[in-house]
Amino acid sequence: MGVQSKLPIGTEVFWSIPAEQMLGILYAPENGLTTDEAERRAEMYGKNHIAPPRRSGPVWILLGQYKSPIILILIFASSLSILLHDYTDAAIILSIVAVSGLLGFWQEAHAAGAVRKLLDLVEVKSTVLRDGREMEIAVEDIVPGDIVILSAGASVPADCLLLEAKDLHISEAALTGETFPVEKTTAPLPAETPLAQRRNAVFMGTHVVSGMGKALVVRTGRSTEFGKISERLRTRPPEPEFERGLRRFGYFLMEVTLLLVIAIFTVNAYFARPILEAFLFSMALAVGLTPQLLPAIVSVNLAHGAEEMAKEKVIVKRLSSIENFGSMNILCSDKTGTLTEGNVHLDAALDAHGQPSEKTRLYAYLNASFETGFTNPIDEAIRNADKLDISGYTKLDEVPYDFIRKRLSILVSTKDGNVMISKGAVANILLICSQAELADGSTAAISAAGPSIMRLFEDLGQKGSRVIALAYRDLGTEKTITKDWETNMTFLGLLAFSDPVKSDLLQTVGELRRLGVTLKIITGDNQYVATHVCRQIGLDGCAMLAGSDLRLIHDDALVPRVERVQIFAEVEPNQKERIVLALKKAGNVVGFLGDGINDASALHAADVGISVDSAVDVAKEAADIVLLEKDLEVLLNGVKAGRRTFANTLKYVFMATSANFGNMFSMAGVSLFLPFLPMLPKQILLTNLLTDFPEMAIAGDSVDPEFVDRPHRWDIRFIRRFMITFGILSSVFDYATFGVLLLVLHADTEHLRTGWFVESVISAALIVLVIRSPRPFFQSEPGKYLLLATGISVAVTLLLPWTPLGTLFGFTPLHASFTVIIWAIIGAYVVAAELTKRVFYRHTAF
């Protein structure tokens, strides 16, 4: 039964019901639910999720290890063996399958637990009234009847009826497609009102652009409007390049495996070998050919990478973004707080002529002190610069800041009457002024004073100051204001702020450049300030494009131009997404670092959206990666960790396509000519298990510095060439082993199987140390866990034929001559692989 069906009658058209009545219907006190009542409702209505929780408990992870059709067929065939009284072989095969699954389960369960802990660090929360006071709770814990406090930058956590709204503007683009923010009111509407016109309701999936409000939660989870149409509106995100490559690679191996299995089974059946034995042999080969651990290895590598990145204060929300993070070659970043210290200081409060002005300072302090919108460094700087006595002033009303007007207005009462004080971008303040106040208190027409004000603005900007303007208007006895009152105002003065560039930024930007990442600045600040910062951080040339010019450029013409531009100044919110999309169309992997209300669309558009823990909710929700500190140095360390993770994931792919694939392919080929099976099914599965064991330690392997020094991307053609080259090399030495065992040593069936088992496992284990790096193996130190796992695998392989367990598997102890020759073949294989690797990388760049 859905949540909505459990709700009281009337909630289906809640926007048509007065707020007082809806509070009664939901038994919701105006001061909020109690904690106990909220917990009771959570049990009744469920968690506030759009999608049902993913099955990620231990049982589901364990069952996931055995979902491969090949594994299921093998289990079925083994069960059939039991019915035919072949208990020993069936038990051995089932035990190997179980152990293999348990190893994958152990790693994947640990990885899933680690990722859950990391995601808890950056959980998006909402402010609600509980137990009569405001508190922050996780969005998923919100229930019908909660009272939610809305402010600029907050995401709307559920479908709600507005109780209070003050200049509340909601971006509903994700739900209705409406480009511009919608102003909300509290008046009830007819039941038949369309979704896009329900002005007294706010909906999950939208966010607050400006203003403030208080809302009653009516619907949560899948009963919300967003939940109902999420499948239609929330298009599946583009498949990451790395995942697409893995999928294509997996399909390729499946095709090869299927053809090989059918051929082997047909030939063995043709030679009148036991049908069940031939079938088990074919299935065992399929297990060896299929990189069944690939999903687990990828999950473990990504989870391990997420843990490593967390140590660098980088939290990964979506694991698949790690590859894009490592592949990123362009980073788009804002200026404030990322490139600068983020500690904004008020340097000067000036009149229209550039002289210090106490009136400008006082009016700025009044505006900043009474402002109740979202927290911003400008207002904090004004309040921290002075501690003025404003006890004689009272706030009457406010028109919050928004990104269209770029102004914020406060109405205050003074002993001489009520005055509206507006501050904002210089051009936007001048636009609403008809006159300017001079030093002696007289006024001049703005047409006369405007040019000198703009020259002063430019001079301050060229010195690196961020400048905003201040204006006022006497309103007599008026006690409320709207945006319409912002006209015919008097220009008062300018406020100059400084935000010094971080001391180590020059070195950090240079390190990014060395790693192949180009920094591009996208800022709303004016071009003079942007150019000043650009010079300070050592960006050569500082080619710049202003937002006003960007509006005149068609999307197609923008693509070739964006790569040459280093700084985008005076950029409007919707232009950020255009810039990101143009950079992607030009063939780049683009990262976007943003923390503001107007960054959500660009964060979605980027290959990897990056935000910070202090960002507004909508930015944190849209981001793939969250920095615990807004610092490029933190991001730099995260890029390195991401590249190490990508490198180790690729290593497993290389291993699965070389020695393992070569061994299985060789065994399939030889079985066509021998009068007996070259290995029993249980022996093949054991070989596969022992060769996979070292590869499970690959997540903690060390990575060569040159791989970290530049971005890499998935290249399926490179993988295919690697597989063909090293798979053929592996098969050559496999056939050499067969030839020596049969023609030189005249091995019987048991000795041949044992000899080939020893050679296959040890060569596959040792070859990992060769192909894991383009460097000579003695110049690239492997991780200690990889070395340990390799040593264990080799030791078990050598000792097993001498144990009773080896006898169960059909192995026999090898004579000294066998052992010496096998080690000689393995040594020759390692040397040949090293030489082949040098030639391969000399002619094939990666």
Side-chain angles (χ1 to χ4, degrees):
M1 183 179 292
V3 172
Q4 186 59 37
S5 62
K6 300 178 184 177
L7 289 170
I9 296 173
T11 54
E12 304 90 355
V13 288
F14 65 88
W15 56 90
S16 66
I17 299 175
E20 299 79 8
Q21 187 177 341
M22 184 56 66
L23 284 166
I25 290 174
L26 289 174
Y27 300 99
E30 289 191 25
N31 62 347
L33 302 173
T34 64
T35 300
D36 290 341
E37 174 62 16
E39 290 176 356
R40 188 186 71 80
R41 295 191 184 200
E43 292 181 7
M44 181 186 300
Y45 301 127
K47 290 289 187 181
N48 186 24
H49 290 297
I50 284 289
R54 186 184 173 192
R55 292 171 170 175
S56 58
V59 174
W60 293 108
I61 293 175
L62 179 60
L63 292 176
Q65 308 304 312
Y66 302 104
K67 65 182 180 182
S68 163
I70 295 173
I71 294 293
L72 294 176
I73 291 172
L74 200 58
I75 293 172
F76 171 76
S78 297
S79 303
L80 191 60
S81 294
I82 294 174
L83 293 176
L84 298 175
H85 306 292
D86 189 0
Y87 303 114
T88 303
D89 281 5
I92 290 173
I93 291 172
L94 290 173
S95 298
I96 293 173
V97 170
V99 170
S100 178
L102 288 171
L103 283 174
F105 163 76
W106 174 72
Q107 290 217 335
E108 204 164 340
H110 171 73
V115 171
R116 278 196 298 271
K117 290 178 183 177
L118 294 177
L119 290 178
D120 288 342
L121 296 175
V122 291
E123 189 174 48
V124 175
K125 298 183 177 181
S126 284
T127 302
V128 300
L129 291 178
R130 287 270 177 95
D131 300 319
R133 61 187 179 87
E134 291 186 12
M135 64 172 64
E136 284 194 338
I137 65 169
V139 168
E140 66 176 21
D141 294 330
I142 285 176
V143 296
D146 265 325
I147 306 294
V148 179
I149 307 300
L150 301 173
S151 60
S155 295
V156 178
D159 287 1
C160 312
L161 181 69
L162 283 169
L163 305 177
E164 299 174 13
K166 174 60 179 173
D167 296 304
L168 183 65
H169 288 76
I170 304 288
S171 172
E172 296 184 339
L175 191 63
T176 65
E178 177 61 46
T179 304
F180 297 102
V182 178
E183 187 169 9
K184 295 291 184 175
T185 62
T186 56
L189 296 166
E192 62 272 13
T193 304
L195 176 66
Q197 297 175 22
R198 295 172 192 167
R199 296 289 189 264
N200 65 334
V202 291
F203 302 97
M204 175 186 272
T206 65
H207 68 271
V208 183
V209 174
S210 62
M212 57 205 75
K214 185 185 291 186
L216 170 66
V217 175
V218 181
R219 298 172 176 169
T220 57
R222 281 178 285 173
S223 69
T224 61
E225 294 293 338
F226 200 71
K228 291 175 185 175
I229 59 177
S230 60
E231 294 304 316
R232 179 162 54 90
L233 286 181
R234 294 175 68 199
T235 56
R236 185 176 180 179
E239 187 178 27
E241 185 182 4
F242 185 68
E243 289 187 3
R244 184 168 62 253
L246 282 178
R247 178 174 52 78
R248 289 167 56 202
F249 170 64
Y251 286 157
F252 171 70
L253 285 189
M254 282 176 60
E255 290 170 4
V256 173
T257 301
L258 185 61
L259 290 173
L260 203 58
V261 165
I262 292 173
I264 296 301
F265 178 72
T266 302
V267 170
N268 278 277
Y270 176 77
F271 286 127
R273 291 167 185 164
I275 292 296
L276 181 59
E277 186 179 80
F279 183 72
L280 281 170
F281 177 74
S282 301
M283 288 298 103
L285 277 181
V287 171
L289 283 166
T290 306
Q292 66 206 56
L293 281 181
L294 188 57
I297 293 291
V298 169
S299 297
V300 170
N301 272 335
L302 293 179
H304 184 271
E307 288 186 282
E308 289 299 306
M309 291 169 75
K311 294 176 184 177
E312 306 293 346
K313 301 181 180 178
V314 177
I315 305 300
V316 180
K317 286 178 60 185
R318 285 181 269 278
L319 289 181
S320 59
S321 66
I322 289 180
E323 186 273 333
N324 279 342
F325 201 40
S327 302
M328 179 178 68
N329 68 311
I330 286 183
L331 172 65
C332 299
S333 172
D334 189 11
K335 174 182 69 66
T336 304
T338 305
L339 309 181
T340 60
E341 293 288 351
N343 298 318
V344 181
H345 304 280
L346 175 61
D347 293 335
L350 309 172
D351 62 18
H353 293 293
Q355 300 301 311
S357 168
E358 289 303 316
K359 185 175 182 180
T360 302
R361 188 175 291 271
L362 171 63
Y363 275 31
Y365 191 79
L366 286 168
N367 182 286
S369 298
F370 289 133
E371 182 265 329
T372 56
F374 61 93
T375 304
N376 65 86
I378 292 294
D379 286 326
E380 288 184 5
I382 295 171
R383 291 191 294 265
N384 293 335
D386 299 288
K387 297 298 178 184
L388 302 180
D389 181 11
I390 58 172
S391 57
Y393 300 88
T394 304
K395 175 184 175 182
L396 299 175
D397 204 1
E398 174 179 0
V399 181
Y401 180 89
D402 66 58
F403 294 98
I404 299 172
R405 292 164 38 248
K406 296 186 179 179
R407 295 185 295 267
L408 184 151
S409 296
I410 300 288
L411 179 64
V412 296
S413 66
T414 72
K415 59 183 179 181
D416 299 321
N418 300 338
V419 61
M420 181 173 71
I421 305 168
S422 299
K423 74 171 185 292
V426 175
N428 297 63
I429 291 293
L430 285 173
L431 194 65
I432 59 173
C433 291
S434 59
Q435 57 192 357
E437 184 173 298
L438 305 180
D440 59 2
S442 62
T443 60
I446 199 68
S447 57
S452 63
I453 292 172
M454 288 304 297
R455 282 194 297 272
L456 176 60
F457 166 56
E458 291 175 12
D459 290 342
L460 291 168
Q462 287 171 354
K463 294 175 183 176
S465 293
R466 184 176 181 181
V467 183
I468 65 171
L470 210 66
Y472 71 94
R473 179 182 177 185
D474 292 319
L475 291 182
T477 59
E478 287 290 341
K479 294 186 178 180
T480 61
I481 55 174
T482 66
K483 290 180 287 188
D484 296 334
W485 287 99
E486 294 176 341
T487 184
N488 198 33
M489 299 189 74
T490 300
F491 184 89
L492 182 58
L494 299 174
L495 302 172
F497 301 86
S498 63
D499 185 8
V501 169
K502 291 178 178 177
S503 57
D504 60 346
L505 188 63
L506 191 63
Q507 179 181 347
T508 303
V509 172
E511 180 69 5
L512 275 173
R513 189 183 296 118
R514 188 186 69 79
L515 292 176
V517 179
T518 301
L519 178 65
K520 293 185 184 292
I521 302 172
I522 302 178
T523 179
D525 282 351
N526 68 75
Q527 53 190 305
Y528 307 110
V529 176
T531 302
H532 179 79
V533 171
C534 190
R535 292 196 197 100
Q536 284 186 298
I537 63 177
L539 292 181
D540 300 329
C542 287
M544 185 171 59
L545 184 63
S548 56
D549 297 324
L550 189 58
R551 281 197 298 270
L552 305 176
I553 303 174
H554 189 271
D555 286 346
D556 293 336
L558 185 60
V559 173
R561 188 165 178 181
V562 284
E563 292 200 278
R564 300 193 299 270
V565 177
Q566 290 175 300
I567 187 161
F568 300 85
E570 301 173 15
V571 169
E572 298 171 4
N574 62 329
Q575 292 177 328
K576 296 182 179 182
E577 183 181 14
R578 280 192 69 202
I579 294 166
V580 169
L581 291 174
L583 287 166
K584 288 175 65 175
K585 286 180 182 177
N588 300 290
V589 178
V590 183
F592 181 88
L593 173 57
D595 63 353
I597 301 168
N598 57 344
D599 291 327
S601 59
L603 286 165
H604 274 300
D607 291 298
V608 52
I610 308 162
S611 193
V612 292
D613 194 34
S614 57
V616 298
D617 290 347
V618 66
K620 284 172 65 175
E621 282 185 345
D624 303 302
I625 288 172
V626 176
L627 310 182
L628 296 183
E629 290 182 7
K630 192 174 184 181
D631 190 339
L632 279 187
E633 182 67 30
V634 171
L635 186 141
L636 184 67
N637 293 332
V639 168
K640 294 177 181 177
R643 290 184 182 178
R644 287 193 292 269
T645 301
F646 183 30
N648 283 335
T649 304
L650 285 180
K651 285 178 188 177
Y652 176 78
V653 176
F654 291 160
M655 295 166 189
T657 56
S658 54
N660 291 5
F661 185 82
N663 284 344
M664 295 302 118
F665 192 82
S666 303
M667 201 174 305
V670 169
S671 70
L672 302 178
F673 307 105
L674 290 177
F676 56 88
L677 292 177
M679 266 195 190
L680 298 174
K682 58 187 176 184
Q683 295 170 342
I684 296 173
L685 292 173
L686 181 62
T687 301
N688 189 54
L689 179 65
L690 289 174
T691 53
D692 274 342
F693 181 69
E695 294 164 5
M696 298 188 77
I698 203 67
D701 191 25
S702 58
V703 177
D704 297 335
E706 55 266 27
F707 195 97
V708 178
D709 285 346
R710 62 188 179 90
H712 292 269
R713 301 175 73 170
W714 176 269
D715 186 347
I716 191 68
R717 287 191 297 253
F718 179 90
I719 300 297
R720 192 182 296 118
R721 286 195 296 269
F722 193 97
M723 181 185 74
I724 292 171
T725 301
F726 288 91
I728 290 174
L729 180 68
S730 175
S731 288
V732 167
F733 280 89
D734 284 336
Y735 286 121
T737 303
F738 266 122
V740 170
L741 289 173
L742 286 172
L743 303 177
V744 177
L745 298 175
H746 305 291
D748 58 24
T749 303
E750 285 191 346
H751 280 88
L752 183 139
R753 288 170 174 168
T754 306
W756 199 9
F757 164 76
V758 170
E759 188 273 340
S760 295
V761 176
I762 295 179
S763 64
L766 294 181
I767 210 66
V768 167
L769 305 179
V770 174
I771 62 175
R772 55 174 289 278
S773 166
R775 290 182 174 190
F777 71 90
F778 49 84
Q779 291 182 3
S780 179
E781 184 178 351
K784 60 181 180 181
Y785 294 113
L786 179 60
L787 272 179
L788 178 62
T790 301
I792 291 173
S793 182
V794 170
V796 168
T797 302
L798 289 173
L799 294 174
L800 187 65
W802 300 84
T803 66
L805 186 61
T807 304
L808 278 176
F809 275 95
F811 296 132
T812 187
L814 294 176
H815 302 302
S817 57
F818 277 70
T819 304
V820 170
I821 290 177
I822 287 172
W823 273 108
I825 293 172
I826 292 171
Y829 177 37
V830 169
V831 171
E834 182 61 45
L835 295 174
T836 303
K837 181 179 70 175
R838 293 187 187 183
V839 175
F840 179 82
Y841 281 108
R842 191 178 301 145
H843 294 90
T844 310
F846 182 67

